[in-house]
Amino acid sequence: ETGVTQTPRHLVMGMTNKKSLKCEQHLGHNAMYWYKQSAKKPLELMFVYSLEERVENNSVPSRFSPECPNSSHLFLHLHTLQPEDSALYLCASSWGTGELFFGEGSRLTVL
Amino acid sequence: GESVGLHLPTLSVQEGDNSIINCAYSNSASDYFIWYKQESGKGPQFIIDIRSNMDKRQGQRVTVLLNKTVKHLSLQIAATQPGDSAVYFCAENLGDNFNKFYFGSGTKLNVKP
């Protein structure tokens, strides 16, 4: 079983849809992250959760809503997205201030 | 935000040669750096890291050099193999409690057989 698992791997949604991305880590880490990866842009940090408490928002639009019910699970709820939100959304986890372990990503396309 | 940049967007090398990928960072307070490798369709994978109290660290076929004077980081890959073809990112961390890594835009490494 891989360390960080993301589902779905691919998602196509309309601008009026509501969907969620799921991330699960099996590494016993205490922090989880959402990053956005767009073409020709650096990875952008969206959210950081430490011990299930959000500690970083990074000015992300409210149409992205994270949820961290426990230290192993992280969700990104999506609603009324825009075409420019199409990107690869990467989940990562870490133990404290150590290295990030990434999942394979969820490729999102907004029509 | 922080600025982490890569000098070359694409690097082509012959199989068996050594590769050097460079990275400039802007925040002199950054104290932890990581190189990640990302293959097509996959998430970034940890290669090697280095803390600011070191200037060199070696792994298996990889070496990271840190020059704090000019805020420069490099990744050296020895005897480059086709499996090394990927995009390489450097990331810097201020070392605060929130573990925020700032990533560069990446260098694509093409290994020619």
Side-chain angles (χ1 to χ4, degrees):
Chain A
E1 201 169 46
T2 56
V4 180
T5 304
Q6 290 187 242
T7 54
R9 293 293 310 278
H10 301 274
L11 177 63
V12 179
M13 59 187 290
M15 290 192 285
T16 58
N17 292 158
K18 289 185 179 181
K19 298 286 185 182
S20 297
L21 306 180
K22 178 183 176 182
C23 177
E24 183 174 0
Q25 60 98 359
H26 311 277
L27 301 168
H29 288 164
N30 62 356
M32 296 187 76
Y33 311 77
W34 281 116
Y35 276 85
K36 177 183 178 182
Q37 187 174 34
S38 305
K40 300 181 181 179
K41 292 178 69 175
L43 272 74
E44 300 172 71
L45 177 62
M46 299 176 72
F47 299 103
V48 179
Y49 276 83
S50 177
L51 297 173
E52 302 153 44
E53 182 178 335
R54 189 164 73 190
V55 296
E56 176 68 26
N57 185 6
N58 231 33
S59 303
V60 177
S62 59
R63 57 185 183 270
F64 294 91
S65 175
E67 178 188 1
C68 188
N70 55 62
S71 60
S72 299
H73 294 86
L74 184 65
F75 295 89
L76 188 62
H77 303 300
L78 317 169
H79 64 98
T80 60
L81 295 191
Q82 305 298 312
E84 59 265 28
D85 296 323
S86 298
L88 182 68
Y89 289 85
L90 290 160
C91 174
S93 69
S94 72
W95 178 256
T97 56
E99 69 193 76
L100 300 176
F101 288 77
F102 284 91
E104 303 286 36
S106 293
R107 172 70 63 185
L108 173 66
T109 302
V110 181
L111 302 177
Chain B
E2 307 302 329
S3 173
V4 179
L6 292 162
H7 296 312
L8 296 173
T10 304
L11 176 66
S12 293
V13 299
Q14 204 69 38
E15 181 179 358
D17 288 351
N18 297 332
S19 303
I20 300 176
I21 301 172
N22 297 302
C23 175
Y25 64 95
S26 61
N27 196 322
S28 57
S30 294
D31 68 352
Y32 183 39
F33 305 86
I34 299 181
W35 278 102
Y36 282 92
K37 171 187 180 183
Q38 187 174 25
E39 296 175 272
S40 181
K42 296 186 176 181
Q45 180 183 11
F46 172 91
I47 301 174
I48 192 168
D49 60 357
I50 189 168
R51 299 219 175 249
S52 58
N53 60 351
M54 304 174 69
D55 52 21
K56 180 179 180 179
R57 189 153 191 241
Q58 288 184 291
Q60 187 176 15
R61 282 200 307 119
V62 294
T63 301
V64 55
L65 299 177
L66 175 63
N67 186 330
K68 294 181 288 293
T69 302
V70 295
K71 291 183 285 189
H72 184 267
L73 195 68
S74 70
L75 176 70
Q76 300 177 359
I77 305 174
T80 312
Q81 303 170 0
D84 295 325
S85 293
V87 177
Y88 290 80
F89 298 93
C90 64
E92 64 176 310
N93 190 309
L94 293 176
D96 59 19
N97 291 330
F98 299 143
N99 208 33
K100 289 179 286 185
F101 280 95
Y102 296 95
F103 286 78
S105 54
T107 291
K108 184 174 183 180
L109 177 65
N110 291 322
V111 181
K112 297 175 286 187

